[in-house]
Amino acid sequence: MQNFLKHLILGALLAGSVDAAGQASVLGNSGTSSDFLGWDGTSSNNFALQVRHDLDQPIEWWTENARRMRLSFNETYGIGAFANQQKFGSLLLCPKVDGFYNNGAKGPFSLLHLAADDHNDQQASYRPWMNVGINFTGNNDQDYIGQKARDLDYTDMVAHWSDNPGKTLKDRFRFLFTSGYDAHATTGAQSAEGLEFLRMWAAKYDDPRIGIGDWYAANLADPVNVTEPTERVDIVNGRVRIRQLPTDPAADNLTRFMVVDDTPGAEYGVVKWRTLPVIPPPAPSCEWTLLNNGVSGPAIPHHVYSAVGVSDACPDASDAVGIGANLSSTAPTAKLTVATTTFATGASISATTAAGNTVGLAVAATGASNMNVGVDVDASTGTSV
């Protein structure tokens, strides 16, 4: 009767409980496929299933007698160069959790930490802002994707990768695209590597570089000349297009402009700058000048003229003009010298007007001497008129 009352009181207490906790097991821990951990589907068990440990202890998941996952409690430990890192409720997922700790790590680096089977505790590149995000460690390297909190309500989204101290900084951040696999494709979206869109790497600790294009394919095609991006922005192939050009006023007062190095070698294609050359004022024109400056109209004269003014830049009133005659070695004797070995007539003048009194050739010879000659004709007889 006493045992019956104990069980009755215990049953009443359990029935009146709002929060329930229980343990399900099979004698000897040897269950069958129909056994499970949790509540059954009855209406009386229609409340949340809690997996909990109310003491300062983690919750662990095991398969094949190996720890695979560990949910930490309110733990504080050192990571890399930073002591007292609070990692409350952080989850570590690793094929060998024991190996992660045996390699020297004290616990997960962020809220979710995915660690490889081995070489998975690279702590040198850890920073304290790696908290609300996912941390990756393996192959002796460490990466992080998540939030980087600054002041309250000022948060950066960060994609972080790293390299071991003292290494050659060859670890890169790459963007790859893949499609259906083709065993015959060596590059591109269908290859085992995939199509590379962009890569970033640090040439030195203070020298970030970005390469655009399929650098993997370029290195296969030209393994000698193509390695990594050599400039802050380096386009491995293809062209650059600006769909909307600026409409701001022209910067006419600036003196520097961009040029592209076309010298074969390491600098080929690099964008540089040079000073805009000073353009001297235009020299006096030796061309014919149109009186109306190109404006047409019946009332505007279209007279042309040339060689006006005194200048050493082009012929003027003090210089001679030769047509078919070389005046470079012989001093000219006339303003205009015409020479021909083809035409029977050296010069022909035709003047036809409707007004009458037409003059075919008007000659004026004036000077201080009284020996002025209007026309000097040298024919086969050598007679002058």
Side-chain angles (χ1 to χ4, degrees), residues 146-319:
Q147 290 186 325
K148 181 181 184 298
R150 296 184 284 133
D151 296 333
L152 181 62
D153 202 24
Y154 288 89
T155 309
D156 298 333
M157 184 63 189
V158 173
H160 158 271
W161 79 106
S162 65
D163 202 353
N164 299 14
K167 297 295 182 179
T168 56
L169 302 178
K170 283 291 186 178
D171 290 349
R172 302 163 300 191
F173 193 100
R174 302 172 64 205
F175 291 78
L176 303 178
F177 172 78
T178 61
S179 184
Y181 176 67
D182 182 356
H184 300 288
T186 57
T187 61
Q190 292 183 293
S191 67
E193 180 71 16
L195 175 64
E196 182 174 7
F197 272 63
L198 180 146
R199 71 170 54 183
M200 294 179 283
W201 76 295
K204 295 184 294 186
Y205 287 112
D206 57 353
D207 188 3
R209 298 180 182 180
I210 299 176
I212 301 175
D214 195 342
W215 286 79
Y216 177 81
N219 276 290
L220 288 184
D222 190 358
V224 176
N225 297 318
V226 182
T227 53
E228 299 292 340
T230 60
E231 309 300 328
R232 191 71 73 238
V233 177
D234 194 342
I235 302 175
V236 69
N237 49 29
R239 303 186 301 177
V240 176
R241 170 175 290 180
I242 301 176
R243 291 284 181 176
Q244 183 172 349
L245 295 175
T247 57
D248 298 335
D252 296 328
N253 295 326
L254 301 182
T255 59
R256 296 180 179 180
F257 63 101
M258 295 175 61
V259 294
V260 177
D261 195 332
D262 62 350
T263 305
E267 295 293 292
Y268 184 82
V270 176
V271 177
K272 301 178 180 179
W273 68 271
R274 59 168 294 182
T275 303
L276 189 69
V278 178
I279 302 177
S285 175
C286 299
E287 303 294 334
W288 291 90
T289 300
L290 184 63
L291 182 62
N292 64 359
N293 294 324
V295 179
S296 61
I300 300 177
H302 293 79
H303 306 319
V304 293
Y305 60 89
S306 181
V308 176
V310 179
S311 172
D312 292 333
C314 59
D316 54 23
S318 63
D319 299 313

Side-chain angles (χ1 to χ4, degrees), residues 96-109:
K96 296 179 181 178
V97 170
D98 289 341
F100 177 80
Y101 285 98
N102 292 337
N103 286 334
K106 301 296 178 61
F109 298 175

Side-chain angles (χ1 to χ4, degrees), residues 14 17-22 39 45 47-50 52:
L14 291 175
S17 299
V18 176
D19 292 330
W39 308 119
N45 290 331
F47 47 83
L49 174 65
Q50 300 180 9
R52 56 188 296 170

